[in-house]
Amino acid sequence: MPLYKNQTLQIYNSLSGEKELFTPINEGNVGMYVCGPTVYNNVHLGNVRTFMSFDVIFRYLRHLEYKVRYVRNITDVGHVVDDVDEGEDKIAKKARIEQLEPMEIVQRYTVDFHSILSNYNFLPPSIEPTATGHIIEQIEIVQQIIDNGFAYETNGSVYFDIVKFNKTHHYGKLSGRNIEDMLANTRDTEGQSDKKNAQDFALWKKAEPEHIMRWPSPWGIGFPGWHLECTAMSTKYLGEKFDIHGGGMDLKFPHHECEIAQNEACTGHSPVNYWMHANMLTLNGKKMAKSTGNNILPGEIFTGESPFLTKAFSPNVARFFMLQAHYRSVLDFSNDAILAAEKGFTRLMEGIHLCSEIETSPTSSLDVMSWKQNCYNAMNDDFNSPILIANLFEGIRLVNVLNDKRETITASDLSELKNTLEVFTFDVLGIKNEKTSNDTTHKLEGVIEMLIEMRKAARENKNWALSDEIRDNLLALDIQLKDGKEGTSFTF
């Protein structure tokens, strides 16, 4: 019997504003689409947090033995500046500034995106389609929406008719916005004269002569609107109705609202059962923004080359830090916060490795199965990773109690304890098991002991600079020295 049969998973649905029992459309199968990056620049840390949230969701669904098709797209065309219909395509603008072909920009930053996610130990999605690879599907959807009477063509561009759509449907049901209020509060901006209403959004845009990325269509040479690609790719690979659609909170409006409208206008029904949105990441209590300098790139965490950091941190520690907050909560990144996370991470790793040294007994005085179910209960409650982590630390407390011989445990219960700790830490949370082989560990420990002796000699000779240099260089490698009465010990 698959594991999901024995667990009751609830998901917070942004559409209803409530936690709902998760029931997939097809039993045992889950279709999940997540809006991917626009590859015109380095992926920022807030994006990493969003994708990490859905990586954990993907991992847990697979752990429950669902067959999951996870689709995460690459936006390589059609995403214009400030996410409105006027302006220059971000990728085309970057290509013009750097005097490169747009696809060179796309390739450079797609490689960067994959490299960063690989460092953070992300699982690859089942399918990673690109917008430029699905122009035909996008054109077909535009034509269907026109045929159904919810779009109109003007001067080579096609716009979605929100007012007409809203007469028979509800535009704004995801974001809670009122169409009448939006129309009343919208100021006229340049380029909107082709629209019937200011809130109408582009399904297809006419390409001006200077526009680099362009394709033929029934309405002339142009390029797709940026909302359209996700409708085309999600339905192509997951069907007209699928289980989960995710993304950052900032995409709820207008992007996801427009996706719902496009799908309903095309097929007559809403596309998704569960809408999920990850919250934002702040830096030292303020919004991250490159323009203000309050910004840190994901790779800078690994090198420590940031004014916001006192040292480098491993990808494992950075991942562990991010998962200490629920995906729907705002997470504030700071040097102090990630230092604290590093200590917790070290304690968790040490506890897991200590499991191998526990002595077993004919009887158990601990209720391991109840603790194990608490781990499941945390993830079943809308993928509550901080509660799961709290339960994992409770498991580590049990390990320490057993190691001190204050409680007893049978071999089978110890195996259950160890396996549960490892499964939820490594498989579900996606922490990489960095435990090296015994031989390699022994050699590394020998080198560290040699450096400790060199540091000891430096301190005896009052060569404080060398002493500090040895300590700091080891710390940069996540090897922490601890000076005590009995001498210097280390952890890594």
Side-chain angles (χ1 to χ4, degrees):
M1 180 184 294
L3 193 55
Y4 65 79
K5 292 273 193 181
N6 298 320
Q7 303 297 328
T8 304
L9 173 62
Q10 289 197 314
I11 294 177
Y12 181 88
N13 191 345
S14 298
L15 195 59
S16 66
E18 297 177 350
K19 289 179 187 176
E20 299 176 4
L21 179 67
F22 178 62
T23 306
I25 295 169
N26 299 304
E27 185 180 340
N29 295 270
V30 178
M32 180 170 74
Y33 184 89
V34 173
C35 294
T38 303
V39 283
Y40 72 101
N41 212 333
N42 299 105
V43 62
H44 63 75
L45 199 59
N47 290 142
V48 171
R49 192 223 172 169
T50 293
F51 299 133
M52 187 179 296
S53 298
F54 289 100
D55 180 63
V56 171
I57 289 166
F58 180 37
R59 286 171 174 274
Y60 187 60
L61 291 170
R62 295 207 324 175
H63 172 70
L64 291 181
E65 298 181 76
Y66 283 110
K67 183 179 180 181
V68 187
R69 177 176 289 178
Y70 173 24
V71 182
R72 186 187 66 213
N73 72 297
I74 295 288
T75 296
D76 56 355
V77 68
H79 205 317
V80 293
V81 176
D82 296 327
D83 301 339
V84 295
D85 291 332
E86 287 65 49
E88 189 173 4
D89 185 294
K90 290 179 178 180
I91 292 166
K93 180 179 181 180
K94 188 81 168 183
R96 178 175 55 78
I97 291 171
E98 299 196 13
Q99 296 184 321
L100 296 170
E101 281 290 327
M103 285 300 114
E104 286 183 272
I105 297 296
V106 167
Q107 178 68 8
R108 175 192 299 175
Y109 294 113
T110 299
V111 169
D112 171 74
F113 173 69
H114 288 149
S115 174
I116 290 294
L117 265 55
S118 176
N119 280 327
Y120 279 98
N121 199 33
F122 280 55
L123 295 176
S126 313
I127 304 173
E128 192 173 53
T130 63
T132 54
H134 296 77
I135 298 295
I136 292 174
E137 289 86 349
Q138 294 178 73
I139 290 173
E140 289 173 347
I141 290 173
V142 174
Q143 188 61 61
Q144 187 62 55
I145 294 174
I146 292 173
D147 293 345
N148 291 348
F150 294 111
Y152 55 92
E153 184 268 334
T154 305
N155 295 328
S157 294
V158 181
Y159 296 98
F160 191 93
D161 193 333
I162 285 182
V163 171
K164 187 172 182 181
F165 173 80
N166 205 54
K167 290 178 180 178
T168 53
H169 298 74
H170 181 193
Y171 182 82
K173 62 184 177 183
L174 178 66
S175 61
R177 303 194 183 205
N178 182 283
I179 183 64
E180 286 77 16
D181 292 341
M182 285 191 285
L183 291 170
N185 295 328
T186 302
R187 60 183 176 86
D188 291 330
T189 58
E190 183 182 354
Q192 288 186 342
S193 58
D194 287 345
K195 300 181 181 182
K196 292 180 181 179
N197 301 284
Q199 289 293 329
D200 292 351
F201 58 88
L203 296 171
W204 186 265
K205 284 289 290 181
K206 177 184 178 180
E208 299 302 328
E210 66 274 12
H211 199 91
I212 307 172
M213 305 178 81
R214 51 207 291 130
W215 290 267
S217 79
W219 317 284
I221 302 296
F223 56 96
W226 76 279
H227 307 303
L228 188 62
E229 61 181 88
C230 289
T231 294
M233 288 183 280
S234 62
T235 55
K236 178 180 177 66
Y237 297 109
L238 299 175
E240 292 182 357
K241 189 85 172 176
F242 55 95
D243 299 298
I244 298 171
H245 193 314
M249 197 77 76
D250 57 318
L251 296 180
K252 186 184 288 189
F253 185 89
H255 187 52
H256 291 162
E257 195 74 72
C258 292
E259 276 193 65
I260 292 174
Q262 288 169 164
N263 275 276
E264 291 184 353
C266 183
T267 65
H269 57 76
S270 193
V272 180
N273 282 349
Y274 304 88
W275 284 91
M276 301 182 68
H277 293 93
N279 216 323
M280 66 186 296
L281 182 73
T282 57
L283 178 59
N284 293 321
K286 298 177 182 177
K287 182 178 179 181
M288 276 200 193
K290 192 174 181 181
S291 58
T292 64
N294 196 55
N295 184 58
I296 184 170
L297 291 173
E300 291 174 339
I301 296 174
F302 312 151
T303 63
E305 295 174 356
S306 167
F308 299 106
L309 297 174
T310 56
K311 63 184 285 290
F313 296 90
S314 73
N316 253 347
V317 168
R319 184 178 179 106
F320 181 72
F321 162 75
M322 290 195 199
L323 296 177
Q324 286 183 313
H326 190 265
Y327 77 90
R328 286 192 288 115
S329 301
V330 174
L331 172 62
D332 187 51
F333 183 95
S334 70
N335 186 71
D336 287 347
I338 195 168
L339 278 170
E342 184 176 50
K343 291 179 181 177
F345 171 78
T346 300
R347 186 156 61 94
L348 179 61
M349 292 299 104
E350 288 175 347
I352 291 175
H353 297 152
L354 187 60
C355 282
S356 302
E357 300 176 19
I358 300 297
E359 295 181 7
T360 59
S361 168
T363 60
S364 284
S365 57
L366 298 175
D367 186 357
V368 173
M369 297 310 293
S370 178
W371 165 80
K372 177 180 178 179
Q373 186 55 48
N374 285 338
C375 293
Y376 278 102
N377 292 344
M379 290 304 288
N380 290 338
D381 184 17
D382 192 32
F383 310 100
N384 201 322
S385 60
I387 300 299
L388 170 62
I389 289 171
N391 279 295
L392 293 177
F393 278 121
E394 172 60 18
I396 298 305
R397 187 190 69 80
L398 299 180
V399 171
N400 290 325
V401 165
L402 290 165
N403 188 56
D404 293 340
K405 297 182 171 57
R406 286 179 281 155
E407 301 282 356
T408 60
I409 193 167
T410 63
S412 61
D413 278 355
L414 178 61
S415 176
E416 197 74 59
L417 175 62
K418 183 175 185 291
N419 182 64
T420 302
L421 281 168
E422 291 180 344
V423 163
F424 278 98
T425 301
F426 304 134
D427 297 348
V428 175
L429 291 182
I431 302 297
K432 188 180 290 185
N433 188 351
E434 294 179 339
K435 187 178 182 183
T436 54
S437 69
N438 291 334
D439 183 52
T440 304
T441 301
H442 180 71
K443 291 177 181 178
L444 176 60
E445 289 174 348
V447 172
I448 297 171
E449 292 290 356
M450 180 181 69
L451 289 169
I452 288 174
E453 287 301 315
M454 290 174 62
R455 179 170 174 265
K456 181 182 177 183
R459 287 161 69 91
E460 289 172 351
N461 293 323
K462 294 185 168 40
N463 189 346
W464 309 118
L466 178 58
S467 170
D468 290 346
E469 184 179 2
I470 293 171
R471 179 200 63 204
D472 293 344
N473 285 341
L474 286 173
L475 191 59
L477 297 170
D478 289 325
I479 301 169
Q480 188 168 13
L481 300 184
K482 298 178 181 178
D483 294 318
K485 293 180 180 179
E486 304 299 322
T488 301
S489 61
F490 65 92
T491 57
F492 61 86

